Amino acid sequence: MQLHPVKVYPSKALLKREDQLAWKMAAVAADKVAVQKDVQEMIINRIIDNASVAIAAINRRPVVSARGMALGHKKREGGATVFGATAGTTVSPEWAAWANGTAVRELDMHDTFLAAEYSHPGDNIPPILAVAQAMGRSGKDLIRGLATGYELQIDLVRAISLHEHKVDHIAHLGPSAAAGIGTLLKLPQEVIFQSIQQALHTTVSFRQSRKGEISSWKAYAPAHAGKLAIEAVDRCMRGEGAPSPIYEGEDSVLAWVLSGRTIADQKSRKAMYEEVLYNVPLPAPGEAKRAIMDSYTKEHSAEYQSQALIDLAFRMREQIADFEKIEKIIIHTSHHTHYVIGTGANDPQKMDPKASRETLDHSIMYIFAVALQDGRWHHVDSYAPKRAGRADTVRLWHKIETTEAPEWTERYHSKDPDTLAFGGRVEIIFKDGSKLVDELGVANAHPRGARPFAREQYVNKFLTLTDGIITPREANRFLEAAQNLPKLAAGELSALTVTLPRGTLEEAKPGIF
């Protein structure tokens, strides 16, 4: 990997494009380096993973609405498939990305990568797959495109913090999806460069979508980024350009929203031009794209920082005879966990039994209480209003608090994969003064966990989440097609959708489309 310093330049500097981050990202996308075998197999795993959570969420209202919008843009020929829709139904690719991206994101249960920023790199799959289907590409083409999408989003996430400045993480997804589409379609570096810039320019939004009264937009936001990435590539393929330099410009998001703005406010605008803001790692020419191997999926339907703590709750509950004898529970954890999903957020919604599912899955206090009591986690039952409002759960829930522990923050940001951790230490204090203390750094499903996910676990997750929703025949057909991805010929990628039995797919309320 090569580190690329990124800073803001005044317009009069006339920064050469070969010195711009977007151009360097486009070079990675245009590099014809082969995809390595283990990366290829992991891409297949993540296609299966995405389908699992999409079908499990298929009749939830936000997914139904997104699908209804997409089906208002049907294509007679070509086009891309929509999860759940009858075989042969295709829509314009950007709308397929919208519908499928929402379905994948709704349950907050697919893959994750955490570093300077947060991300769900599997959000690259819906837009890149939709374009691959619409453009009649092969399984090998799709694999190459997805390797790029994962690589570039994860590389940006390693270096550039968005949440620190209250910018939503989809600002890294738009450029990565556009670049992945560029690789898929074998576009020239110039076109990919312009596409990355357009995609970033149109996907900067703010984290209020994940704060306070969290709405269905939390699921829609990544899907919207994928949709905008497709539209950006389409425009640039037709010869259109983009605001440039998109990262380094004096009126860019780096200059006015991210670290450039911070330096300007603390020192001066002149000082902003003098400092390197970020060092972004990118593969060197000819170096394989392997970033997907550093990402990990979820076993439980909740924010990733809760995964290890859910597993820890399962373990600790075995030593608790009576939950009513608990006086207090303190979760010592990282800065992120404390301030985003813990009591450090100072968000009363996270303690409210009437809060939405989208809020509850970002409340570690609620999640730990239910996991401790139930010894299981279910993507529907664990969030049911009746479950959230249970009196004994509310009592336990309100006894839980989080605190930032420097050692866990340090492990959260560790560059050493052997010490990197997203869990915490839990201290349960009983009314008689006794304590129960335990800790867990990584979830059981993590590559360094007690039960790392491999193909068997991805397949089992698919079969579990889709059970009773699709037929066994359809499940077997999809799994066979997905695992045969490298051999799927041009025009055969429609096999990577999943169809529900007739009459079981809910219809959306009428809208404009």
Side-chain angles (χ1 to χ4, degrees):
M1 300 290 280
Q2 295 179 336
L3 284 179
H4 299 276
V6 181
K7 61 191 293 291
V8 176
Y9 292 84
S11 296
K12 64 182 180 181
L14 299 176
L15 184 64
K16 296 178 181 178
R17 64 174 43 182
E18 57 264 30
D19 294 327
Q20 296 177 30
L21 178 61
W23 181 259
K24 296 172 182 178
M25 291 167 62
V28 172
D31 193 340
K32 295 180 172 59
V33 62
V35 177
Q36 295 178 339
K37 179 69 173 177
D38 59 342
V39 171
Q40 176 177 285
E41 292 302 308
M42 188 58 73
I43 286 171
I44 293 171
N45 288 343
R46 301 305 170 76
I47 288 173
I48 294 171
D49 200 48
N50 270 19
S52 304
V53 297
I55 297 304
I58 202 70
N59 279 326
R60 289 177 60 83
R61 193 199 71 248
V63 180
V64 173
S65 297
R67 182 171 60 247
M69 296 172 73
L71 293 175
H73 297 81
K74 289 183 180 178
K75 299 273 287 185
R76 287 195 179 92
E77 297 180 4
T81 61
V82 175
F83 277 128
T86 55
T89 300
T90 60
V91 303
S92 189
E94 75 278 20
W95 287 101
W98 167 254
N100 295 336
T102 303
V104 165
R105 194 67 184 82
E106 168 67 11
L107 290 180
D108 201 354
M109 201 178 173
H110 63 321
D111 67 15
T112 303
F113 180 77
L114 304 170
E117 184 49 46
Y118 328 132
S119 67
H120 297 281
D123 292 334
N124 284 280
I125 296 176
I128 298 173
L129 173 58
V131 174
Q133 290 177 335
M135 301 295 284
R137 293 316 201 232
S138 69
K140 288 184 177 179
D141 293 331
L142 176 61
I143 289 168
R144 289 179 55 79
L146 292 176
T148 291
Y150 269 84
E151 180 67 49
L152 291 178
Q153 184 177 13
I154 288 173
D155 291 343
L156 289 170
V157 167
R158 292 185 201 276
I160 301 177
S161 175
L162 300 170
H163 72 272
E164 177 186 350
H165 308 282
K166 312 307 177 187
V167 173
D168 198 16
H169 66 254
I170 66 168
H172 289 332
L173 172 62
S176 67
I181 293 167
T183 298
L184 167 80
L185 299 180
K186 301 181 176 67
L187 298 178
Q189 183 176 351
E190 167 68 23
V191 176
I192 302 173
F193 167 61
Q194 300 294 356
S195 301
I196 289 170
Q197 296 194 111
Q198 277 211 20
L200 173 59
H201 189 68
T202 59
T203 54
V204 175
S205 60
F206 296 92
R207 285 193 62 83
Q208 189 59 42
S209 60
R210 303 170 198 281
K211 183 90 170 180
E213 189 172 343
I214 301 176
S215 72
S216 55
W217 186 253
K218 189 183 77 169
Y220 285 134
H224 191 230
K227 180 176 182 290
L228 293 175
I230 294 173
E231 293 171 345
V233 177
D234 180 87
R235 287 190 292 270
C236 295
M237 288 174 69
R238 299 174 191 275
E240 301 306 318
S244 181
I246 197 63
Y247 285 101
E248 298 89 353
E250 69 175 61
D251 285 343
S252 67
V253 66
L254 268 66
W256 284 97
V257 181
L258 303 185
S259 290
R261 175 61 181 268
T262 302
I263 293 171
D265 288 347
Q266 293 175 347
K267 300 178 182 178
S268 67
R269 296 299 293 177
K270 182 180 179 181
M272 175 190 69
Y273 297 125
E274 296 170 353
E275 297 191 29
V276 172
L277 303 180
Y278 306 103
N279 286 285
V280 179
L282 294 174
E287 183 178 355
K289 302 176 179 73
R290 295 190 52 80
I292 190 174
M293 303 305 294
D294 292 332
S295 61
Y296 23 82
T297 195
K298 295 180 179 180
E299 184 175 4
H300 314 298
S301 177
E303 169 77 0
Y304 192 81
Q305 286 76 246
S306 68
Q307 300 293 301
L309 292 169
I310 290 172
D311 290 333
L312 182 57
F314 294 165
R315 188 165 79 190
M316 296 183 78
R317 75 182 303 273
E318 301 300 325
Q319 302 176 63
I320 302 173
D322 186 350
F323 294 111
E324 294 296 336
K325 293 183 179 180
I326 294 174
E327 178 72 27
K328 180 189 290 188
I329 298 176
I330 304 173
I331 301 174
H332 303 266
T333 187
S334 67
H335 178 278
H336 169 74
T337 305
H338 174 55
Y339 284 103
V340 176
I341 64 173
T343 49
N346 293 317
D347 186 350
Q349 290 279 326
K350 296 186 187 301
M351 306 300 285
D352 185 354
K354 296 181 181 180
S356 67
R357 182 198 189 280
E358 290 79 8
T359 294
L360 293 177
D361 73 10
H362 277 59
S363 170
I364 192 57
M365 294 73 67
Y366 173 77
I367 291 167
F368 194 83
V370 173
L372 197 64
Q373 287 183 327
D374 294 357
R376 67 187 286 267
W377 197 264
H378 190 270
H379 63 284
V380 176
D381 298 346
S382 296
Y383 294 108
K386 185 176 180 180
R387 181 68 195 82
R390 213 172 80 186
D392 63 326
T393 297
V394 175
R395 286 195 299 273
L396 180 61
W397 175 5
H398 288 188
K399 295 176 182 178
I400 301 174
E401 63 184 60
T402 65
T403 183
E404 181 185 356
E407 65 271 23
W408 286 98
T409 296
E410 183 178 350
R411 292 185 67 184
Y412 182 96
H413 293 292
S414 175
K415 304 297 183 184
D416 180 356
D418 292 331
T419 60
L420 186 67
F422 308 111
R425 179 173 61 88
V426 173
E427 184 180 7
I428 300 178
I429 304 169
F430 295 92
K431 292 179 180 178
D432 64 3
S434 62
K435 294 181 180 181
L436 175 63
V437 181
D438 200 354
E439 66 179 56
L440 188 63
V442 296
N444 292 339
H446 188 274
R448 290 189 290 110
R451 293 179 282 100
F453 260 44
R455 179 64 53 80
E456 177 185 355
Q457 284 73 36
Y458 284 99
V459 169
N460 184 63
K461 182 177 176 180
F462 177 85
L463 294 174
T464 299
L465 292 182
T466 63
D467 182 42
I469 302 176
I470 63 175
T471 64
R473 181 178 180 179
E474 176 65 0
N476 291 334
R477 182 207 61 76
F478 168 79
L479 288 171
E480 181 180 356
Q483 293 177 90
N484 195 42
L485 178 61
K487 297 181 180 178
L488 293 182
E492 293 184 346
L493 294 180
S494 61
L496 297 181
T497 194
V498 179
T499 299
L500 264 65
R502 287 186 180 275
T504 61
L505 198 64
E506 292 190 12
E507 294 187 6
K509 292 180 179 180
I512 295 173
F513 301 120

